[in-house]
Amino acid sequence: MPNRPKVFISRTIPAEPLARIEAECEVTMWPHDTPPSVAELHAAVANVDGLMSMLTERIDAALLDAAPNLKVISQFAVGIDNINVAAATARQLPVGNTPGVLTEATADQAFALLLAAARRLVEGVEYVRNDDWQTWYPLQLLGSTVSGATLGIIGLGRIGHAMAQRAKGFGMRILYHGGSNQDFAADVGAEQVSLDTLLSESDFVSLHCPLTPQTKHIINAAALSRMKPSAILINTARGGVVDSAALLHALQTHQIRYAALDVTDPEPIAADHPLVHLPNCIVVPHLGSATWQTRTAMGMLAADNLLAGLRGERLPNCVNPEVYG
Ligand code: DGY
């Protein structure tokens, strides 16, 4: 069919959203699981009308200059810290993302990490694999009680709220800092506190804020020093919210008890990075939204954003609505 818009999708996406896009567009999809290099990405967008990007790509002014026909950027993620949104807005380019559809999956992952760290599940698996399980004894691999403990949520947005709902089911007391949705707070009986209070009173601190200049390294050496020595840190937000060097020191010196990280800085983190080998740290490879259902739903929403932008319609989820005047 003539005049079908050209789109570049920077990684293989699930079949259902791909079919929806292919029904209307001429699609080029990056065939590898690793991202295109900057040069490859610039070449790929040179003639396209639409771009579906992943969180691994840097979408900056140079990229936008390399794509003179671009009408829309549709991010296959809710987080958009890899995109220079101001540069897109300056070019009247709408940017879409995928909020909502990954809320529950990401909260599941955060709570799974909380439980795994609290009950030392990964250490337990290693213990059996290493043939260390010789007997039962009262002080064997003791962890932390979850029920009745205090959970501090940094960023009570959609995912923070879903995390709090899970915590409520475990009878936890919930504190939060950041996020101003009073309905979320009331729903879970969460108490708004200062960052200092949250850090010093929480048994578990879970990060759910976006990465912005304000939240970069919000968990730094000073913050870690305010946490309880028994505290457990969970990060399913973005690696850059935590100062990795400070966290490494805090875990090595038992300033805090444990960390469970779905996201890291740098990301991916190298297998020989010391955080990966600490007995009191769990690192998994950014799997918060990694279920078949959720990734398909993210793809459908990203497809809707992409197609709306190509048709000149308002994106269903637009992060820079000021492009519509
Ligand atoms: C996001 O959407 O921002 C997650 O990090 C990946 O699903």
Side-chain angles (χ1 to χ4, degrees):
M1 210 188 294
N3 299 328
R4 282 155 61 90
K6 293 183 175 55
V7 307
F8 179 66
I9 305 177
S10 66
R11 215 66 50 79
T12 303
I13 61 169
E16 205 182 331
L18 178 60
R20 180 179 284 186
I21 300 164
E22 282 179 331
E24 293 188 33
C25 307
E26 195 181 302
V27 176
T28 306
M29 192 161 68
W30 186 249
H32 311 290
D33 289 334
T34 48
S37 67
V38 171
E40 288 166 329
L41 189 58
H42 282 206
V45 298
N47 293 312
V48 300
D49 304 289
L51 168 63
M52 187 179 288
S53 55
M54 307 293 142
L55 54 88
T56 44
E57 278 84 67
R58 181 136 302 284
I59 310 297
D60 55 13
L63 183 280
L64 300 181
D65 288 342
N69 300 338
L70 202 60
K71 296 180 185 63
V72 57
I73 299 166
S74 174
Q75 169 96 334
F76 185 99
V78 65
I80 47 156
D81 47 282
N82 60 309
I83 301 178
N84 184 339
V85 176
T89 306
R91 290 161 178 77
Q92 292 297 110
L93 268 177
V95 177
N97 70 340
T98 63
V101 293
L102 47 80
T103 299
E104 304 300 331
T106 308
D108 285 347
Q109 176 80 346
F111 211 80
L113 287 172
L114 183 154
L115 289 172
R119 301 307 301 271
R120 303 175 65 181
L121 292 188
V122 174
E123 284 174 89
V125 170
E126 287 301 309
Y127 188 79
V128 178
R129 285 194 176 146
N130 294 337
D131 206 16
D132 291 333
W133 189 15
Q134 304 301 325
T135 184
W136 183 97
Y137 59 97
L139 299 184
Q140 191 176 26
L141 283 174
L142 300 188
S144 309
T145 297
V146 173
S147 172
T150 297
L151 170 65
I153 292 183
I154 298 185
L156 193 74
R158 279 178 294 261
I159 300 171
H161 170 245
M163 177 69 168
Q165 287 179 314
R166 284 150 181 75
K168 215 178 149 200
F170 279 71
M172 298 179 89
R173 171 185 176 226
I174 301 158
L175 306 178
Y176 77 99
H177 177 79
S180 54
N181 187 321
Q182 292 310 313
D183 291 344
F184 283 166
D187 178 51
V188 292
E191 191 186 330
Q192 186 169 22
V193 293
S194 69
L195 183 59
D196 273 4
T197 302
L198 182 143
L199 294 169
S200 61
E201 291 192 12
S202 297
D203 301 299
F204 298 86
V205 174
S206 191
L207 306 175
H208 298 284
C209 50
L211 176 62
T212 65
Q214 291 71 39
T215 62
K216 187 173 166 67
H217 288 186
I218 197 169
I219 301 298
N220 55 17
L224 289 158
S225 73
R226 288 189 192 102
M227 289 169 68
K228 296 181 182 182
S230 57
I232 292 176
L233 177 72
I234 300 113
N235 190 6
T236 52
R238 283 291 183 268
V241 174
V242 177
D243 177 343
S244 297
L247 177 63
L248 176 65
H249 179 75
L251 290 167
Q252 283 171 329
T253 56
H254 300 284
Q255 201 172 26
I256 67 168
R257 182 172 286 166
Y258 229 100
L261 311 175
D262 187 56
V263 289
T264 57
D265 183 19
E267 188 171 307
I269 197 164
D272 62 357
H273 192 287
L275 272 175
V276 174
H277 297 280
L278 287 179
N280 55 346
C281 186
I282 299 169
V283 183
V284 293
H286 203 147
L287 298 175
S289 63
T291 72
W292 284 106
Q293 296 88 338
T294 300
R295 289 282 162 85
T296 300
M298 289 166 68
M300 295 306 264
L301 193 43
D304 288 346
N305 283 329
L306 184 74
L307 295 174
L310 292 171
R311 295 183 198 121
E313 295 166 4
R314 198 180 176 99
L315 312 195
N317 278 291
C318 186
V319 301
N320 56 345
E322 51 287 17
V323 295
Y324 300 115

